Amino acid sequence: MAGAPTTNSSRLVIVDPHLDDYRCLVEPAWRQSVRLTLTSTGSTALRLAPSFGDAVWLVNLKLPDMDGFELLEMLHSLNSKMRALLVDGNFDRQRECRALEMRVVQYICKPIQLDWILDWLQPGSSRAMPSSRMQRSTFSSHTPTGQAR
């Protein structure tokens, strides 16, 4: 079938309590052969981790059952070569520095350009990660009540 995922695909695991933010990613991910897994809790992510050694992890800093930094530390202890993107509702210089010290590939603020992430995951992609400063000035996410997610 044309456009069907191949066995030589990338895996993206999204850990975020706001999974609806990523629903529009499902169809494009399938078309680009990205194996996509969505979960809303850190505990579920930890149960999945041993099976997803090659995955890129996109982790929200604010999870219902643990801090995103805590989850990243646990994931790194399971796989020291894991690649992760940390998602934050609002830019914070201290959190950005902490994320980069933890070997996070990128600190990203919502809303996220999901098509860019899919392109970046493709083998041979020459797309560079945008700097978090660009993300900070370009992206900011607030719910209708003004609360960051």
Short mmCIF file of all heavy atoms in Angstrom, two decimals, residues 30-93:
data_model
loop_
_atom_site.label_atom_id
_atom_site.label_comp_id
_atom_site.label_asym_id
_atom_site.label_seq_id
_atom_site.Cartn_x
_atom_site.Cartn_y
_atom_site.Cartn_z
N TRP A 30 1.80 8.82 10.55
CA TRP A 30 1.61 7.56 9.83
C TRP A 30 2.11 7.68 8.39
O TRP A 30 2.82 6.80 7.91
CB TRP A 30 0.12 7.18 9.85
CG TRP A 30 -0.14 5.86 9.20
CD1 TRP A 30 0.00 4.63 9.75
CD2 TRP A 30 -0.57 5.65 7.85
NE1 TRP A 30 -0.33 3.66 8.84
CE2 TRP A 30 -0.68 4.25 7.66
CE3 TRP A 30 -0.87 6.49 6.79
CZ2 TRP A 30 -1.07 3.69 6.46
CZ3 TRP A 30 -1.26 5.94 5.59
CH2 TRP A 30 -1.36 4.55 5.44
N ARG A 31 1.76 8.79 7.72
CA ARG A 31 2.21 9.00 6.34
C ARG A 31 3.73 9.07 6.23
O ARG A 31 4.29 8.69 5.21
CB ARG A 31 1.60 10.27 5.76
CG ARG A 31 0.16 10.12 5.32
CD ARG A 31 -0.30 11.26 4.42
NE ARG A 31 0.11 12.57 4.89
CZ ARG A 31 -0.60 13.36 5.70
NH1 ARG A 31 -1.76 12.96 6.15
NH2 ARG A 31 -0.15 14.54 6.07
N GLN A 32 4.40 9.58 7.26
CA GLN A 32 5.86 9.73 7.22
C GLN A 32 6.57 8.57 7.92
O GLN A 32 7.76 8.66 8.20
CB GLN A 32 6.26 11.06 7.86
CG GLN A 32 5.79 12.26 7.06
CD GLN A 32 6.30 13.56 7.63
OE1 GLN A 32 7.37 13.62 8.22
NE2 GLN A 32 5.52 14.61 7.46
N SER A 33 5.86 7.51 8.18
CA SER A 33 6.43 6.30 8.80
C SER A 33 7.02 6.55 10.18
O SER A 33 8.02 5.94 10.57
CB SER A 33 7.50 5.69 7.88
OG SER A 33 6.93 5.33 6.65
N VAL A 34 6.42 7.44 10.93
CA VAL A 34 6.83 7.68 12.31
C VAL A 34 5.88 6.88 13.20
O VAL A 34 4.67 7.08 13.15
CB VAL A 34 6.79 9.18 12.67
CG1 VAL A 34 7.05 9.39 14.16
CG2 VAL A 34 7.79 9.96 11.84
N ARG A 35 6.44 5.98 13.98
CA ARG A 35 5.64 5.21 14.93
C ARG A 35 5.38 6.11 16.13
O ARG A 35 6.30 6.52 16.81
CB ARG A 35 6.38 3.95 15.33
CG ARG A 35 6.56 2.99 14.16
CD ARG A 35 7.46 1.83 14.49
NE ARG A 35 8.80 2.38 14.70
CZ ARG A 35 9.77 1.75 15.34
NH1 ARG A 35 9.57 0.56 15.86
NH2 ARG A 35 10.97 2.30 15.48
N LEU A 36 4.14 6.43 16.37
CA LEU A 36 3.75 7.42 17.37
C LEU A 36 3.06 6.73 18.54
O LEU A 36 2.16 5.93 18.36
CB LEU A 36 2.80 8.42 16.72
CG LEU A 36 2.33 9.60 17.52
CD1 LEU A 36 3.50 10.49 17.93
CD2 LEU A 36 1.32 10.41 16.71
N THR A 37 3.52 7.06 19.74
CA THR A 37 2.89 6.57 20.97
C THR A 37 2.57 7.77 21.83
O THR A 37 3.42 8.63 22.04
CB THR A 37 3.84 5.61 21.73
OG1 THR A 37 4.17 4.52 20.86
CG2 THR A 37 3.19 5.09 22.99
N LEU A 38 1.33 7.84 22.31
CA LEU A 38 0.88 8.94 23.15
C LEU A 38 0.50 8.40 24.52
O LEU A 38 -0.21 7.41 24.63
CB LEU A 38 -0.35 9.62 22.54
CG LEU A 38 -0.21 10.17 21.13
CD1 LEU A 38 -1.57 10.51 20.55
CD2 LEU A 38 0.68 11.38 21.13
N THR A 39 0.98 9.07 25.57
CA THR A 39 0.59 8.71 26.92
C THR A 39 0.53 9.98 27.77
O THR A 39 1.24 10.95 27.47
CB THR A 39 1.53 7.67 27.55
OG1 THR A 39 1.03 7.31 28.84
CG2 THR A 39 2.94 8.18 27.67
N SER A 40 -0.29 9.98 28.79
CA SER A 40 -0.48 11.19 29.58
C SER A 40 0.23 11.18 30.93
O SER A 40 0.20 12.17 31.65
CB SER A 40 -1.98 11.44 29.80
OG SER A 40 -2.55 10.34 30.48
N THR A 41 0.87 10.06 31.28
CA THR A 41 1.51 9.99 32.61
C THR A 41 2.95 9.48 32.53
O THR A 41 3.29 8.70 31.63
CB THR A 41 0.73 9.06 33.56
OG1 THR A 41 0.81 7.72 33.06
CG2 THR A 41 -0.71 9.50 33.71
N GLY A 42 3.73 9.89 33.49
CA GLY A 42 5.11 9.43 33.58
C GLY A 42 5.20 7.95 33.92
O GLY A 42 6.07 7.25 33.40
N SER A 43 4.31 7.47 34.78
CA SER A 43 4.35 6.06 35.16
C SER A 43 4.11 5.14 33.95
O SER A 43 4.78 4.12 33.80
CB SER A 43 3.36 5.77 36.28
OG SER A 43 2.06 6.15 35.90
N THR A 44 3.19 5.52 33.09
CA THR A 44 2.96 4.73 31.87
C THR A 44 4.18 4.81 30.96
O THR A 44 4.59 3.80 30.38
CB THR A 44 1.70 5.22 31.13
OG1 THR A 44 0.59 5.13 32.01
CG2 THR A 44 1.44 4.41 29.88
N ALA A 45 4.77 5.98 30.84
CA ALA A 45 5.97 6.14 30.02
C ALA A 45 7.08 5.21 30.52
O ALA A 45 7.78 4.59 29.71
CB ALA A 45 6.43 7.59 30.04
N LEU A 46 7.24 5.11 31.82
CA LEU A 46 8.28 4.25 32.37
C LEU A 46 8.01 2.77 32.07
O LEU A 46 8.94 2.00 31.84
CB LEU A 46 8.42 4.47 33.87
CG LEU A 46 9.06 5.80 34.26
CD1 LEU A 46 8.94 6.03 35.77
CD2 LEU A 46 10.51 5.85 33.82
N ARG A 47 6.75 2.38 32.06
CA ARG A 47 6.42 0.99 31.70
C ARG A 47 6.72 0.72 30.23
O ARG A 47 7.11 -0.38 29.86
CB ARG A 47 4.95 0.69 32.01
CG ARG A 47 4.68 0.47 33.49
CD ARG A 47 3.32 -0.15 33.75
NE ARG A 47 2.20 0.63 33.24
CZ ARG A 47 1.60 1.64 33.90
NH1 ARG A 47 2.03 1.98 35.10
NH2 ARG A 47 0.59 2.27 33.37
N LEU A 48 6.56 1.73 29.38
CA LEU A 48 6.81 1.57 27.95
C LEU A 48 8.31 1.62 27.60
O LEU A 48 8.74 1.04 26.61
CB LEU A 48 6.11 2.69 27.17
CG LEU A 48 4.60 2.73 27.21
CD1 LEU A 48 4.09 4.02 26.55
CD2 LEU A 48 4.02 1.51 26.50
N ALA A 49 9.07 2.33 28.39
CA ALA A 49 10.46 2.66 28.06
C ALA A 49 11.33 1.47 27.66
O ALA A 49 12.07 1.56 26.68
CB ALA A 49 11.11 3.42 29.22
N PRO A 50 11.28 0.33 28.35
CA PRO A 50 12.16 -0.78 27.95
C PRO A 50 11.91 -1.27 26.52
O PRO A 50 12.82 -1.78 25.88
CB PRO A 50 11.83 -1.87 28.98
CG PRO A 50 11.33 -1.13 30.17
CD PRO A 50 10.57 0.04 29.61
N SER A 51 10.71 -1.09 26.02
CA SER A 51 10.38 -1.53 24.66
C SER A 51 10.72 -0.50 23.60
O SER A 51 10.70 -0.82 22.41
CB SER A 51 8.89 -1.84 24.56
OG SER A 51 8.54 -2.81 25.50
N PHE A 52 11.00 0.72 24.01
CA PHE A 52 11.20 1.81 23.05
C PHE A 52 12.59 2.42 23.15
O PHE A 52 12.76 3.63 23.24
CB PHE A 52 10.16 2.91 23.28
CG PHE A 52 8.73 2.48 23.03
CD1 PHE A 52 7.69 3.15 23.64
CD2 PHE A 52 8.42 1.42 22.21
CE1 PHE A 52 6.37 2.78 23.42
CE2 PHE A 52 7.12 1.03 21.98
CZ PHE A 52 6.09 1.71 22.59
N GLY A 53 13.61 1.59 23.09
CA GLY A 53 14.98 2.06 23.25
C GLY A 53 15.43 3.04 22.20
O GLY A 53 16.28 3.90 22.45
N ASP A 54 14.87 2.95 20.99
CA ASP A 54 15.29 3.82 19.90
C ASP A 54 14.43 5.08 19.76
O ASP A 54 14.62 5.87 18.84
CB ASP A 54 15.25 3.05 18.58
CG ASP A 54 13.83 2.59 18.21
OD1 ASP A 54 12.97 2.48 19.11
OD2 ASP A 54 13.60 2.34 17.01
N ALA A 55 13.49 5.28 20.66
CA ALA A 55 12.52 6.37 20.52
C ALA A 55 13.11 7.73 20.86
O ALA A 55 14.05 7.86 21.62
CB ALA A 55 11.32 6.10 21.43
N VAL A 56 12.49 8.74 20.27
CA VAL A 56 12.68 10.12 20.71
C VAL A 56 11.50 10.41 21.64
O VAL A 56 10.35 10.11 21.31
CB VAL A 56 12.67 11.11 19.52
CG1 VAL A 56 12.69 12.55 20.01
CG2 VAL A 56 13.86 10.84 18.60
N TRP A 57 11.79 10.97 22.81
CA TRP A 57 10.77 11.23 23.82
C TRP A 57 10.48 12.72 23.85
O TRP A 57 11.39 13.53 23.96
CB TRP A 57 11.25 10.77 25.19
CG TRP A 57 11.40 9.29 25.26
CD1 TRP A 57 12.44 8.55 24.78
CD2 TRP A 57 10.48 8.37 25.83
NE1 TRP A 57 12.21 7.21 25.01
CE2 TRP A 57 11.03 7.07 25.66
CE3 TRP A 57 9.26 8.51 26.48
CZ2 TRP A 57 10.38 5.93 26.11
CZ3 TRP A 57 8.61 7.37 26.93
CH2 TRP A 57 9.16 6.10 26.75
N LEU A 58 9.21 13.07 23.75
CA LEU A 58 8.76 14.45 23.89
C LEU A 58 7.99 14.48 25.21
O LEU A 58 6.92 13.88 25.32
CB LEU A 58 7.87 14.83 22.71
CG LEU A 58 7.54 16.30 22.56
CD1 LEU A 58 7.44 16.67 21.10
CD2 LEU A 58 6.28 16.64 23.29
N VAL A 59 8.57 15.12 26.23
CA VAL A 59 8.04 15.05 27.59
C VAL A 59 7.62 16.43 28.07
O VAL A 59 8.42 17.37 28.05
CB VAL A 59 9.12 14.47 28.55
CG1 VAL A 59 8.62 14.47 29.98
CG2 VAL A 59 9.52 13.07 28.10
N ASN A 60 6.38 16.52 28.53
CA ASN A 60 5.90 17.76 29.13
C ASN A 60 6.49 17.88 30.53
O ASN A 60 6.58 16.90 31.27
CB ASN A 60 4.37 17.77 29.21
CG ASN A 60 3.81 19.14 29.55
OD1 ASN A 60 4.26 19.80 30.48
ND2 ASN A 60 2.82 19.56 28.80
N LEU A 61 6.88 19.08 30.89
CA LEU A 61 7.46 19.33 32.21
C LEU A 61 6.45 19.08 33.32
O LEU A 61 6.80 18.64 34.41
CB LEU A 61 7.96 20.78 32.26
CG LEU A 61 8.72 21.21 33.48
CD1 LEU A 61 9.96 20.36 33.68
CD2 LEU A 61 9.11 22.67 33.39
N LYS A 62 5.17 19.33 33.04
CA LYS A 62 4.12 19.20 34.06
C LYS A 62 3.26 17.98 33.76
O LYS A 62 2.36 18.02 32.94
CB LYS A 62 3.27 20.46 34.11
CG LYS A 62 4.06 21.68 34.53
CD LYS A 62 3.22 22.92 34.52
CE LYS A 62 4.08 24.12 34.90
NZ LYS A 62 3.37 25.38 34.74
N LEU A 63 3.55 16.89 34.47
CA LEU A 63 2.78 15.67 34.32
C LEU A 63 1.94 15.47 35.58
O LEU A 63 2.30 15.96 36.65
CB LEU A 63 3.73 14.48 34.13
CG LEU A 63 4.60 14.54 32.87
CD1 LEU A 63 5.64 13.43 32.89
CD2 LEU A 63 3.74 14.47 31.62
N PRO A 64 0.83 14.74 35.48
CA PRO A 64 -0.04 14.59 36.64
C PRO A 64 0.56 13.77 37.78
O PRO A 64 0.19 13.96 38.94
CB PRO A 64 -1.28 13.90 36.07
CG PRO A 64 -0.86 13.29 34.80
CD PRO A 64 0.28 14.12 34.29
N ASP A 65 1.48 12.86 37.46
CA ASP A 65 2.00 11.97 38.50
C ASP A 65 3.47 12.20 38.86
O ASP A 65 3.97 11.60 39.80
CB ASP A 65 1.79 10.51 38.10
CG ASP A 65 2.45 10.16 36.78
OD1 ASP A 65 2.85 11.07 36.02
OD2 ASP A 65 2.56 8.95 36.49
N MET A 66 4.15 13.06 38.11
CA MET A 66 5.55 13.37 38.43
C MET A 66 6.01 14.56 37.62
O MET A 66 5.37 14.96 36.66
CB MET A 66 6.46 12.16 38.19
CG MET A 66 6.61 11.76 36.74
SD MET A 66 7.71 10.33 36.49
CE MET A 66 6.78 9.02 37.24
N ASP A 67 7.12 15.10 38.01
CA ASP A 67 7.75 16.21 37.30
C ASP A 67 8.43 15.67 36.04
O ASP A 67 8.99 14.57 36.05
CB ASP A 67 8.79 16.83 38.26
CG ASP A 67 9.53 17.98 37.66
OD1 ASP A 67 9.03 19.10 37.72
OD2 ASP A 67 10.63 17.74 37.14
N GLY A 68 8.38 16.42 34.95
CA GLY A 68 9.01 16.00 33.71
C GLY A 68 10.51 15.77 33.85
O GLY A 68 11.08 14.86 33.23
N PHE A 69 11.18 16.58 34.67
CA PHE A 69 12.61 16.38 34.91
C PHE A 69 12.85 15.03 35.59
O PHE A 69 13.80 14.31 35.26
CB PHE A 69 13.18 17.50 35.79
CG PHE A 69 13.34 18.81 35.08
CD1 PHE A 69 12.66 19.93 35.51
CD2 PHE A 69 14.18 18.93 33.97
CE1 PHE A 69 12.82 21.15 34.86
CE2 PHE A 69 14.34 20.13 33.32
CZ PHE A 69 13.66 21.26 33.76
N GLU A 70 11.99 14.69 36.53
CA GLU A 70 12.11 13.42 37.24
C GLU A 70 11.96 12.25 36.25
O GLU A 70 12.74 11.29 36.28
CB GLU A 70 11.02 13.36 38.31
CG GLU A 70 11.03 12.12 39.16
CD GLU A 70 9.88 12.11 40.18
OE1 GLU A 70 9.07 13.06 40.22
OE2 GLU A 70 9.80 11.12 40.91
N LEU A 71 10.98 12.35 35.36
CA LEU A 71 10.78 11.32 34.36
C LEU A 71 12.01 11.20 33.46
O LEU A 71 12.48 10.10 33.18
CB LEU A 71 9.53 11.59 33.52
CG LEU A 71 9.31 10.64 32.34
CD1 LEU A 71 9.19 9.19 32.82
CD2 LEU A 71 8.10 11.07 31.53
N LEU A 72 12.55 12.33 33.02
CA LEU A 72 13.72 12.29 32.14
C LEU A 72 14.91 11.62 32.83
O LEU A 72 15.64 10.85 32.20
CB LEU A 72 14.10 13.70 31.68
CG LEU A 72 13.16 14.30 30.64
CD1 LEU A 72 13.54 15.75 30.37
CD2 LEU A 72 13.17 13.50 29.36
N GLU A 73 15.11 11.91 34.11
CA GLU A 73 16.20 11.26 34.85
C GLU A 73 16.01 9.74 34.87
O GLU A 73 16.96 8.99 34.66
CB GLU A 73 16.28 11.81 36.27
CG GLU A 73 16.84 13.21 36.34
CD GLU A 73 16.79 13.80 37.75
OE1 GLU A 73 16.41 13.08 38.70
OE2 GLU A 73 17.13 14.97 37.90
N MET A 74 14.78 9.30 35.10
CA MET A 74 14.51 7.86 35.13
C MET A 74 14.69 7.23 33.75
O MET A 74 15.25 6.14 33.63
CB MET A 74 13.11 7.60 35.67
CG MET A 74 12.98 7.88 37.15
SD MET A 74 11.36 7.40 37.77
CE MET A 74 10.65 8.99 38.10
N LEU A 75 14.24 7.93 32.71
CA LEU A 75 14.42 7.42 31.35
C LEU A 75 15.90 7.33 31.00
O LEU A 75 16.34 6.34 30.39
CB LEU A 75 13.67 8.29 30.34
CG LEU A 75 12.14 8.24 30.40
CD1 LEU A 75 11.53 9.31 29.51
CD2 LEU A 75 11.64 6.85 30.01
N HIS A 76 16.67 8.35 31.37
CA HIS A 76 18.12 8.32 31.11
C HIS A 76 18.79 7.17 31.86
O HIS A 76 19.74 6.57 31.36
CB HIS A 76 18.78 9.65 31.49
CG HIS A 76 18.74 10.67 30.42
ND1 HIS A 76 19.40 10.52 29.22
CD2 HIS A 76 18.13 11.87 30.35
CE1 HIS A 76 19.20 11.58 28.46
NE2 HIS A 76 18.42 12.42 29.13
N SER A 77 18.31 6.85 33.06
CA SER A 77 18.91 5.73 33.81
C SER A 77 18.63 4.40 33.12
O SER A 77 19.41 3.46 33.24
CB SER A 77 18.40 5.72 35.25
OG SER A 77 17.07 5.30 35.31
N LEU A 78 17.52 4.32 32.38
CA LEU A 78 17.20 3.10 31.63
C LEU A 78 17.94 3.03 30.30
O LEU A 78 18.22 1.94 29.80
CB LEU A 78 15.68 3.04 31.37
CG LEU A 78 14.80 2.89 32.60
CD1 LEU A 78 13.34 3.07 32.23
CD2 LEU A 78 15.04 1.54 33.26
N ASN A 79 18.21 4.20 29.71
CA ASN A 79 18.87 4.26 28.40
C ASN A 79 19.66 5.56 28.32
O ASN A 79 19.09 6.62 28.04
CB ASN A 79 17.83 4.19 27.28
CG ASN A 79 18.46 4.26 25.91
OD1 ASN A 79 19.67 4.41 25.75
ND2 ASN A 79 17.62 4.18 24.89
N SER A 80 20.95 5.48 28.56
CA SER A 80 21.78 6.69 28.60
C SER A 80 21.88 7.38 27.25
O SER A 80 22.28 8.55 27.18
CB SER A 80 23.17 6.35 29.12
OG SER A 80 23.81 5.44 28.25
N LYS A 81 21.51 6.69 26.16
CA LYS A 81 21.59 7.29 24.82
C LYS A 81 20.26 7.83 24.32
O LYS A 81 20.16 8.27 23.17
CB LYS A 81 22.14 6.27 23.82
CG LYS A 81 23.55 5.86 24.14
CD LYS A 81 24.07 4.85 23.14
CE LYS A 81 25.48 4.44 23.51
NZ LYS A 81 26.03 3.49 22.56
N MET A 82 19.25 7.81 25.17
CA MET A 82 17.92 8.27 24.74
C MET A 82 17.97 9.75 24.34
O MET A 82 18.76 10.52 24.85
CB MET A 82 16.88 8.07 25.83
CG MET A 82 17.14 8.94 27.03
SD MET A 82 15.78 9.62 27.97
CE MET A 82 14.60 10.15 26.85
N ARG A 83 17.10 10.09 23.38
CA ARG A 83 16.98 11.48 22.94
C ARG A 83 15.63 12.01 23.41
O ARG A 83 14.62 11.32 23.29
CB ARG A 83 17.07 11.58 21.42
CG ARG A 83 18.42 11.12 20.88
CD ARG A 83 18.45 11.10 19.38
NE ARG A 83 17.49 10.11 18.88
CZ ARG A 83 16.97 10.13 17.66
NH1 ARG A 83 17.29 11.08 16.81
NH2 ARG A 83 16.11 9.22 17.28
N ALA A 84 15.63 13.23 23.96
CA ALA A 84 14.39 13.78 24.49
C ALA A 84 14.27 15.26 24.18
O ALA A 84 15.26 15.98 24.10
CB ALA A 84 14.34 13.56 26.01
N LEU A 85 13.02 15.67 24.02
CA LEU A 85 12.64 17.07 23.89
C LEU A 85 11.78 17.37 25.11
O LEU A 85 10.88 16.59 25.43
CB LEU A 85 11.82 17.30 22.61
CG LEU A 85 12.45 16.79 21.32
CD1 LEU A 85 11.40 16.70 20.23
CD2 LEU A 85 13.56 17.72 20.89
N LEU A 86 12.05 18.46 25.79
CA LEU A 86 11.26 18.84 26.96
C LEU A 86 10.31 19.96 26.58
O LEU A 86 10.73 20.97 26.01
CB LEU A 86 12.18 19.29 28.10
CG LEU A 86 11.46 19.60 29.41
CD1 LEU A 86 10.84 18.34 30.00
CD2 LEU A 86 12.42 20.21 30.41
N VAL A 87 9.04 19.77 26.89
CA VAL A 87 7.99 20.73 26.54
C VAL A 87 7.57 21.49 27.79
O VAL A 87 7.31 20.90 28.83
CB VAL A 87 6.76 20.00 25.94
CG1 VAL A 87 5.67 20.99 25.61
CG2 VAL A 87 7.17 19.21 24.72
N ASP A 88 7.48 22.81 27.66
CA ASP A 88 7.08 23.67 28.76
C ASP A 88 5.97 24.59 28.28
O ASP A 88 5.94 24.97 27.11
CB ASP A 88 8.29 24.49 29.23
CG ASP A 88 8.16 25.02 30.65
OD1 ASP A 88 7.05 24.97 31.21
OD2 ASP A 88 9.18 25.50 31.18
N GLY A 89 5.07 24.94 29.15
CA GLY A 89 3.98 25.84 28.80
C GLY A 89 4.43 27.28 28.64
O GLY A 89 3.86 28.03 27.85
N ASN A 90 5.46 27.65 29.37
CA ASN A 90 6.01 29.01 29.31
C ASN A 90 7.52 28.93 29.42
O ASN A 90 8.05 28.12 30.16
CB ASN A 90 5.50 29.86 30.49
CG ASN A 90 4.02 30.10 30.41
OD1 ASN A 90 3.53 30.62 29.42
ND2 ASN A 90 3.30 29.70 31.44
N PHE A 91 8.19 29.80 28.69
CA PHE A 91 9.65 29.81 28.74
C PHE A 91 10.14 30.23 30.12
O PHE A 91 9.63 31.17 30.73
CB PHE A 91 10.22 30.78 27.70
CG PHE A 91 11.72 30.84 27.73
CD1 PHE A 91 12.47 29.88 27.10
CD2 PHE A 91 12.37 31.85 28.43
CE1 PHE A 91 13.85 29.92 27.14
CE2 PHE A 91 13.75 31.89 28.47
CZ PHE A 91 14.50 30.93 27.83
N ASP A 92 11.15 29.51 30.60
CA ASP A 92 11.80 29.84 31.85
C ASP A 92 13.28 29.53 31.68
O ASP A 92 13.64 28.38 31.40
CB ASP A 92 11.22 29.02 33.01
CG ASP A 92 11.90 29.34 34.32
OD1 ASP A 92 11.44 30.28 35.00
OD2 ASP A 92 12.88 28.66 34.66
N ARG A 93 14.13 30.52 31.82
CA ARG A 93 15.57 30.37 31.57
C ARG A 93 16.18 29.30 32.48
O ARG A 93 17.00 28.51 32.02
CB ARG A 93 16.27 31.72 31.76
CG ARG A 93 17.73 31.69 31.47
CD ARG A 93 17.95 31.57 29.98
NE ARG A 93 19.38 31.62 29.70
CZ ARG A 93 19.95 30.95 28.74
NH1 ARG A 93 19.22 30.24 27.91
NH2 ARG A 93 21.23 31.00 28.55
#
